[in-house]
Amino acid sequence: KLMTLNEKVGQLNQYNGDWDAAKGPITKDDEKQQQIRDGLVGSLLNIRGLQHTTQLQKEAMKSRLKIPLLFGQDVIHGYFITFPIPLAEAASWDIPAIELAARVAGTEAAAGGIHWTFAPMVDIARDPRWGRIMEGAGEDTYLGSLIAAARVRGFQGKGIGNTDAVMACAKHFAAYGAAVAGRDYNSVSMGLPEFWNVYLPPFKAAADAGAATFMNSFNDLNGIPATGNAYLQREILKRKWNFKGFVVSDWGSVGEMINHGYAKDNYDAALKAITAGSDMDMESRSYKNHLAQLVKDKKVPLALVNDAVKRILKKKFEMGLFDDPYKFSNAAREKAAMKNPAHMQAARDMAKKSIVLLKNENKILPLSKNIKTVAMIGPVVKLVRENLGFWSTEWPDSNSIVSQWEGIKNRLGPDSKLVYAQGCGFTDTSRAGFAEAIAAAEQADVVIMSMGEHRAMSGEAKSRSNIHLPGVQEDLIKAIHATGKPVVVLINAGRPLIFNWTADHVPAIVYTWWLGHQAGNAIADVLFGDYNPSGKLPATFPRTEGQIPIYYNYFNTGRPAQNENDVNYVSAYIDLQNSPKYAFGYGLSYTSFEYSNLKISRTAITKKESIKVSFTLKNTGSMAGEEVAQLYIRDKVGSIVRP
Ligand code: GLC
């Protein structure tokens, strides 16, 4: 009641800080700090470091009502210490480990003055052309829902208001991962069964886990931009799910409804966004410049503005910021969190569990630590920051990142020799380095190649029409394979890639995604058998882009192919096997496992009943290992067709 209309609108206004690379078109407001003192800003994002957040909070305390600022940041897979990219973590299928990763990130971010992370990203992705597949949990709704809830629990810890907890933000609401043709920001057209059965459940899981906030998505859904979509934000989220938090728009997405052709101008965009339930406007300034006028023009009831303001103020209260605006400005806490050995150990544990062993013919792996000579070849071998992947934060006095070269070098015995040749670049077509690489291979007993796509080839606005290993990398692999030496190929990427020749000819292949600060150590743990790889693919690997979208839980159709070469009037391609290169849930181990004694407790159940499935799982190999037991079921006669 104390607030003026302008102060209310101020709470709905979020600006990007000027201290970090923006993630979208940035407009300069050189008098931002004056607007903060005038109570016209509710939140800032991309403010890095305690000294900046503390200073800006002091400016906010000069305002008439002293309403504290919320500081938001994309803490997606780590803050001071970077964990594997989220898709890699999903490959671990280890829910407690994934929760711990978010717990560490939340602790570090809160110590760094951040109140709110724009994570977890819970978008189901069935299209590896889409660069943001790296940011979520892959293609499966069930695994994705478990991971969404785990990450919310991790970020929020014992509850928001604790000084080691940040508000979570389930994003991007909704169905952003279904962008047509895998092209980022593109339209989404989807029937309600697919929407409710595949894409919404991870958001519901995040809401049920207590996510403090949601972020809407850039895409239009069936013709209505998510930011202006009342079905999404009011009907489903706030009414049906009774969500009491607030919705922040994605970067500029309020104003982008003009580009969509859904709003005439920013005045109209502000009207449609607030009416549809977008509470906070990130960076478009539509609310700041037009919302008060819309209320005065009786286009927007004051009640809608009050509801949005209340949702935001409630979170500031719950965070304890009204009691102490500097609650998260503790230099000692920041210092302690910056270089915490337990956090680094958690990052290594998560990284080694995220690695997927795709092939291991003649048991080349694990390698002996006393190999006489190892050659490391490829564009990724000696890179350092590359291992952090997209959505990582780099600090001037950052913790040391363990490169793959360093990790292997530190693991080899004292009499072993390690030689190096880059061989080729990521995307250029030069073969000038091949000769040197072949020479390095010829003097080695084993060759470890580390290949892949550049870390900036996946992530936001990084869709690829061609997801093959880029450049001449596969030619280099062929050339090294031709030396006859045993070759292990590591593939680093933020998405499934296509590398059919390598897959068919190279005896050992390990998918290493982007593993963060501990990449080199985790890879050495696996290659030398200090950890028996247990990762399973969280997304399907296609044979060609022509198969996309391809996923394991497809409908059977009326003419299912009877085998992978069946083309006899069935749902198949006449020019390609009817199967993926690697299936969802696939991953090898250094040991072998046997399933037996499968039992089910009953053969029929009603809606309220359940079936107990039991089996005996036996490690039939010579090495301890972990197995992800997977159970796939199918409703054979449903009221709609089922996967
Ligand atoms: C970006 C992303 C969103 C992120 C936000 C702030 O455009 O779409 O995921 O949280 O802007 O960086």
Side-chain angles (χ1 to χ4, degrees):
K1 288 187 176 56
L2 295 175
M3 297 173 78
T4 65
L5 178 55
N6 278 345
E7 286 166 337
K8 288 180 179 175
V9 171
Q11 288 304 303
L12 314 189
N13 181 30
Q14 181 186 57
Y15 284 142
N16 183 62
D18 300 334
W19 287 279
D20 200 335
K23 297 286 183 306
I26 186 168
T27 46
K28 281 281 176 212
D29 299 69
D30 45 17
E31 84 298 353
K32 254 179 206 148
Q33 302 214 22
Q34 186 53 48
Q35 291 182 49
I36 292 171
R37 287 188 289 274
D38 294 343
L40 301 181
V41 183
S43 171
L44 290 162
L45 70 141
N46 288 332
I47 309 294
R48 282 238 321 253
L50 222 48
Q51 75 281 16
H52 286 316
T53 57
T54 307
Q55 186 257 320
L56 288 161
Q57 198 67 286
K58 283 179 181 156
E59 297 307 313
M61 289 306 115
K62 295 171 186 167
S63 66
R64 190 175 76 86
L65 292 176
K66 301 180 176 23
I67 298 175
L69 290 167
L70 272 179
F71 296 113
Q73 180 75 36
D74 292 291
V75 182
I76 310 295
H77 54 109
Y79 191 60
F80 295 124
I81 293 170
T82 301
F83 280 68
I85 56 171
L87 187 62
E89 290 186 0
S92 74
W93 296 49
D94 185 332
I95 301 303
I98 291 168
E99 181 170 342
L100 176 61
R103 185 78 295 273
V104 167
T107 302
E108 293 186 351
I114 302 300
H115 302 131
W116 174 27
T117 178
F118 303 126
M121 183 274 219
V122 303
D123 300 303
I124 292 296
R126 291 173 153 177
D127 190 330
R129 292 171 295 183
W130 189 51
R132 299 194 81 164
I133 189 172
M134 57 70 62
E135 201 176 334
E139 74 186 45
D140 181 60
T141 302
Y142 177 64
L143 180 63
S145 299
L146 293 179
I147 290 175
R151 287 180 169 147
V152 168
R153 291 193 304 267
F155 286 125
Q156 299 188 166
K158 298 186 292 297
I160 62 172
N162 284 288
T163 51
D164 66 350
V166 292
M167 295 198 301
C169 179
K171 70 183 186 184
H172 305 79
F173 198 59
Y176 178 38
V180 168
R183 215 173 66 226
D184 207 353
Y185 314 128
N186 206 359
S187 295
V188 173
S189 291
M190 183 177 296
L192 291 185
E194 184 179 7
F195 181 57
W196 279 93
N197 289 328
V198 178
Y199 288 85
L200 269 185
F203 286 100
K204 181 67 166 58
D208 291 348
T213 67
F214 266 52
M215 180 185 290
N216 61 35
S217 55
F218 288 119
N219 58 284
D220 62 272
L221 174 62
N222 298 330
I224 299 180
T227 311
N229 195 313
Y231 175 63
L232 280 177
Q233 300 179 140
R234 291 216 181 279
E235 175 58 28
I236 297 174
L237 183 61
K238 294 179 177 178
R239 197 187 64 71
K240 193 174 178 66
W241 293 354
N242 195 26
F243 179 68
K244 296 296 182 200
F246 69 85
V247 177
V248 62
S249 82
D250 202 340
W251 187 295
S253 68
V254 173
E256 287 176 5
M257 288 197 281
I258 301 166
N259 296 338
H260 275 287
Y262 189 68
K264 200 168 47 267
D265 50 28
N266 285 86
Y267 178 92
D268 189 31
L271 166 61
K272 284 167 176 162
I274 194 76
T275 307
S278 294
D279 298 304
M280 186 182 280
D281 171 9
M282 179 192 287
E283 266 295 322
S284 99
R285 289 155 183 73
S286 306
Y287 283 5
K288 174 186 168 288
N289 297 335
H290 301 287
L291 195 47
Q293 193 55 49
L294 280 159
V295 173
K296 288 168 194 154
D297 296 349
K298 304 238 178 299
K299 294 276 184 63
V300 169
L302 180 59
L304 282 194
V305 175
N306 288 344
D307 177 62
V309 175
K310 186 171 59 181
R311 287 171 180 269
I312 291 163
L313 293 183
K314 190 162 172 286
K315 290 302 167 215
K316 294 184 176 184
F317 274 105
E318 289 171 9
M319 287 291 287
L321 293 170
F322 277 94
D323 304 319
D324 174 6
Y326 306 106
K327 180 173 181 174
F328 293 82
S329 304
N330 179 309
R333 197 187 304 138
E334 182 188 46
K335 194 167 168 9
M338 262 181 174
K339 295 182 185 295
N340 182 331
H343 292 181
M344 194 61 97
Q345 185 51 45
R348 177 169 177 169
D349 183 64
M350 186 78 259
K352 67 190 186 187
K353 291 177 173 175
S354 303
I355 292 170
V356 183
L357 176 61
L358 294 178
K359 192 175 177 187
N360 187 22
E361 249 165 27
N362 324 319
K363 295 208 181 292
I364 283 191
L365 295 173
L367 300 172
S368 151
K369 291 167 188 163
N370 304 313
I371 303 173
K372 209 156 137 316
T373 306
V374 175
M376 288 192 78
I377 295 168
V380 182
V381 173
K382 287 209 169 177
L383 297 182
V384 181
R385 293 182 312 169
E386 200 69 22
N387 290 292
L388 302 188
F390 199 86
W391 289 120
S392 53
T393 309
E394 287 159 47
W395 300 87
D397 56 345
S398 80
N399 296 286
S400 54
I401 300 166
V402 183
S403 72
Q404 300 181 23
W405 170 260
E406 199 183 335
I408 302 296
K409 182 160 61 69
N410 296 344
R411 194 62 54 93
L412 283 171
D415 305 330
S416 300
K417 184 179 159 205
L418 186 56
V419 296
Y420 167 74
Q422 183 183 327
C424 69
F426 278 109
T427 55
D428 64 70
T429 56
S430 164
R431 287 170 169 72
F434 279 33
E436 181 199 17
I438 292 166
E442 279 168 348
Q443 59 178 296
D445 301 299
V446 172
V447 182
I448 298 170
M449 299 186 79
S450 193
M451 321 299 284
E453 58 177 16
H454 190 283
R455 73 161 162 167
M457 291 171 78
S458 64
E460 182 174 356
K462 308 293 182 204
S463 295
R464 289 181 67 197
S465 65
N466 167 340
I467 58 169
H468 283 66
L469 262 181
V472 293
Q473 294 187 45
E474 219 162 15
D475 292 344
L476 178 65
I477 293 170
K478 286 177 187 166
I480 299 302
H481 180 264
T483 65
K485 298 288 182 176
V487 178
V488 179
V489 170
L490 311 181
I491 296 181
N492 308 274
R495 55 158 55 89
L497 292 183
I498 295 172
F499 44 94
N500 293 324
W501 189 91
T502 301
D504 296 341
H505 296 88
V506 171
I509 302 169
V510 185
Y511 222 73
T512 49
W513 312 101
W514 293 112
L515 294 170
H517 268 88
Q518 285 293 305
N521 286 336
I523 288 171
D525 287 342
V526 167
L527 294 189
F528 293 96
D530 293 328
Y531 181 74
N532 182 356
S534 54
K536 307 285 179 190
L537 296 179
T540 300
F541 279 50
R543 297 175 184 278
T544 72
E545 290 85 359
Q547 285 183 303
I548 296 169
I550 179 169
Y551 44 90
Y552 83 94
N553 50 352
Y554 55 83
F555 294 151
N556 210 29
T557 76
R559 295 194 171 187
Q562 297 312 304
N563 56 60
E564 66 171 7
N565 301 309
D566 182 2
V567 289
N568 186 21
Y569 294 100
V570 291
S571 181
Y573 299 102
I574 59 171
D575 57 358
L576 187 70
Q577 288 147 287
N578 200 40
S579 61
K581 191 64 186 172
Y582 296 108
F584 172 85
Y586 173 82
L588 299 177
S589 170
Y590 293 149
T591 188
S592 50
F593 294 99
E594 179 191 271
Y595 289 79
S596 63
N597 208 9
L598 180 66
K599 287 199 191 80
I600 54 173
S601 57
R602 55 196 340 175
T603 55
I605 48 172
T606 63
K607 221 172 185 172
K608 296 185 189 58
E609 292 171 325
S610 63
I611 283 183
K612 188 180 285 299
V613 175
S614 60
F615 52 87
T616 302
L617 174 62
K618 185 177 176 194
N619 180 337
T620 50
S622 55
M623 190 174 180
E626 291 166 45
E627 168 71 330
V628 178
Q630 301 163 46
L631 176 74
Y632 294 86
I633 60 175
R634 177 183 171 208
D635 180 351
K636 302 190 97 168
V637 180
S639 51
I640 58 171
V641 295
R642 302 290 296 149

